Amino acid sequence: MNNSFGHNYTITTWGESHGKALGVVIDGCPAGLELDEKDIQVFLDRRKPGQSKYTTPRNEDDKAIILSGTMEGVTTGCPISIMVENNNQKSRDYSNIANVYRPGHADYTFEEKFGIRDYRGGGRSSGRETIARVAGGAVASKILRELGVTLDCYTRAIGKYVISDSNDINMDEMDNPLYMPNDRVAFQAMDYIEECMRNSDSVGGIVECVIHGVKPGVGEPVFNKLDAKLAQAMLSIGAVKGFEIGDGFRVATSNGSNNNDEMSYQEDVVFHSNHAGGVLGGISTGQDIVFRVAIKPTPSISQKQHTIDRLHDEIDITINGRHDPIIVPRAVVVVESMAAITLLDLMMDNMTSKMDYMKEIYK
């Protein structure tokens, strides 16, 4: 249940980490969008395993196959089904923990809820489920680009190594395995990750996303606030444990005189700051939308850990298999994809918020 996200532009994800394939069904994509597998593959290549020594060595090509919803390279308005086959799963790596609840994983909660769980890599709770989200986000992002909306998503922090000043973010320095737009901090973080790997440990971090080109007025004022829907989308990603927009938790130590974004009019509305992160009252202001998510350390580590089994006997385990020492770099495109899906869905909602909009189409 509840494997779908979105109201107008809807994704339904399916498949398990060690099943035959994973995929997504996209409903609500307009007809007439030029689309082929290459558009989706660019996004999938950013999250696929084996890209560097900081990711799992699981060797998957993650090739996108469009099964429906396009004809001669153009969307038809019908549901788009995209599949990615699993070709390199090694379920035997998990046989020793088939009856054991791994610390930090959803093993215990899944079994309590359903009475059964897929112990082979976590099934639906595996990070591999995000393939489907990225495929859906690739299509959403292409639509947004045609509407003048773009997204920059990157690693802001890994462990204690943080790009502390936004002025130090240089998107020309993103060409590193961490997708971190500051070479100096990235190299410090890489040294730290290698130290964690030597200690059979893992590390977390922060992903930041900046959305450019969103017009004022997107988002609903009560339950479907733009920031609330972004929070829901981000916290639905398995590794995400925190969300903040604009100044986020810093507002708790601020004052209204500092936190309010003053305005003036210079041929258009001008904001003098962006503490709100581009959203007021759940509705976009026209400024850049800026938010961050906290990614937890990979729970699968090869250190000995104490837990219980299905009979509630206490046991020490060592987790085998192929796991990322850090999730953050591969999560960057997942965050970007879910942001694109959320924003597009609310922009479609907004098409009916004024009579003027409806007259442009129908009158």
Side-chain angles (χ1 to χ4, degrees), residues 305-325:
Q305 299 180 87
H306 192 72
T307 187
I308 60 173
D309 60 21
R310 296 176 72 180
L311 300 176
H312 297 166
D313 291 327
E314 297 192 26
I315 186 174
D316 289 329
I317 64 165
T318 300
I319 297 175
N320 299 314
R322 300 164 295 175
H323 308 287
D324 300 79

Side-chain angles (χ1 to χ4, degrees), residues 217-236:
V218 177
E220 303 302 315
V222 184
F223 294 115
N224 278 349
K225 288 180 166 68
L226 174 54
D227 43 359
K229 294 300 289 185
L230 284 170
Q232 180 190 359
M234 296 308 132
L235 290 167
S236 75

Side-chain angles (χ1 to χ4, degrees), residues 145-173:
R145 284 195 300 274
E146 296 206 8
L147 301 175
V149 176
T150 58
L151 297 89
D152 286 329
C153 205
Y154 44 84
T155 301
R156 185 73 188 249
I158 289 176
K160 62 183 180 181
Y161 297 98
V162 184
I163 306 175
S164 55
D165 191 329
S166 294
N167 293 324
D168 292 333
I169 293 172
N170 184 351
M171 299 305 291
D172 293 331
E173 296 184 7

Side-chain angles (χ1 to χ4, degrees), residues 15-48:
E16 295 84 35
S17 174
H18 284 239
K20 292 183 178 180
L22 305 98
V24 63
V25 177
I26 302 168
D27 204 5
C29 178
L33 177 73
E34 292 185 3
L35 183 72
D36 61 24
E37 278 92 350
K38 292 192 292 292
D39 296 310
I40 299 159
Q41 199 61 50
V42 171
F43 275 66
L44 290 179
D45 285 347
R46 290 167 58 194
R47 76 148 302 284
K48 75 178 182 181

Side-chain angles (χ1 to χ4, degrees), residues 37-346:
E37 278 92 350
K38 292 192 292 292
D39 296 310
I40 299 159
Q41 199 61 50
V42 171
F43 275 66
L44 290 179
D45 285 347
R46 290 167 58 194
R47 76 148 302 284
K48 75 178 182 181
Q51 297 183 66
S52 74
K53 60 184 175 181
Y54 308 118
T55 66
T56 170
R58 178 169 173 169
N59 186 22
E60 295 280 6
D61 290 333
D62 287 353
K63 293 296 182 184
I65 304 169
I66 298 177
L67 301 176
S68 67
T70 64
M71 183 177 68
E72 298 176 351
V74 177
T75 58
T76 63
C78 298
I80 301 170
S81 185
I82 304 168
M83 179 179 73
V84 173
E85 294 179 323
N86 285 326
N87 295 312
N88 193 236
Q89 63 269 58
K90 292 184 179 180
S91 300
R92 64 181 179 275
D93 286 346
Y94 297 89
S95 57
N96 68 319
I97 52 91
N99 296 307
V100 175
Y101 302 134
R102 296 168 296 171
H105 285 270
D107 298 345
Y108 170 71
T109 51
F110 248 73
E111 194 153 321
E112 284 294 302
K113 180 174 178 62
F114 295 109
I116 187 173
R117 68 179 172 93
D118 188 343
Y119 64 85
R120 307 163 305 166
R124 287 291 286 165
S125 65
S126 168
R128 193 151 175 77
E129 179 268 343
T130 60
I131 282 175
R133 300 166 183 250
V134 172
V139 179
S141 292
K142 185 161 191 181
I143 297 171
L144 290 174
R145 284 195 300 274
E146 296 206 8
L147 301 175
V149 176
T150 58
L151 297 89
D152 286 329
C153 205
Y154 44 84
T155 301
R156 185 73 188 249
I158 289 176
K160 62 183 180 181
Y161 297 98
V162 184
I163 306 175
S164 55
D165 191 329
S166 294
N167 293 324
D168 292 333
I169 293 172
N170 184 351
M171 299 305 291
D172 293 331
E173 296 184 7
M174 277 273 285
D175 189 21
N176 58 67
L178 305 182
Y179 294 106
M180 199 170 202
N182 182 299
D183 285 339
R184 178 183 59 82
V185 182
F187 283 117
Q188 292 174 336
M190 284 187 273
D191 287 341
Y192 176 58
I193 296 169
E194 291 185 26
E195 178 185 339
C196 293
M197 292 168 67
R198 289 192 295 270
N199 294 327
S200 300
D201 214 342
S202 60
V203 62
I206 295 172
V207 173
E208 184 168 79
C209 185
V210 183
I211 309 175
H212 312 278
V214 180
K215 302 293 185 184
V218 177
E220 303 302 315
V222 184
F223 294 115
N224 278 349
K225 288 180 166 68
L226 174 54
D227 43 359
K229 294 300 289 185
L230 284 170
Q232 180 190 359
M234 296 308 132
L235 290 167
S236 75
I237 302 168
V240 172
K241 301 303 289 184
F243 172 87
E244 65 174 14
I245 189 162
D247 281 0
F249 282 90
R250 284 180 292 169
V251 301
T253 57
S254 186
N255 303 106
S257 55
N258 296 320
N259 186 245
N260 292 340
D261 297 314
E262 295 185 344
M263 306 163 64
S264 60
Y265 191 84
Q266 304 167 15
E267 298 184 354
D268 202 352
V269 174
V270 175
F271 286 87
H272 298 181
S273 57
N274 193 13
H275 299 293
V279 181
L280 288 171
I283 302 169
S284 62
T285 65
Q287 297 171 277
D288 285 347
I289 296 167
V290 185
F291 69 86
R292 288 164 295 280
V293 297
I295 310 288
K296 73 176 184 178
T298 315
S300 290
I301 58 175
S302 53
Q303 288 186 20
K304 183 183 291 185
Q305 299 180 87
H306 192 72
T307 187
I308 60 173
D309 60 21
R310 296 176 72 180
L311 300 176
H312 297 166
D313 291 327
E314 297 192 26
I315 186 174
D316 289 329
I317 64 165
T318 300
I319 297 175
N320 299 314
R322 300 164 295 175
H323 308 287
D324 300 79
I326 181 168
I327 301 169
V328 177
R330 293 175 65 204
V332 168
V333 71
V334 182
V335 169
E336 181 179 329
S337 296
M338 289 303 295
I341 291 165
T342 304
L343 183 60
L344 177 60
D345 190 45
L346 288 172

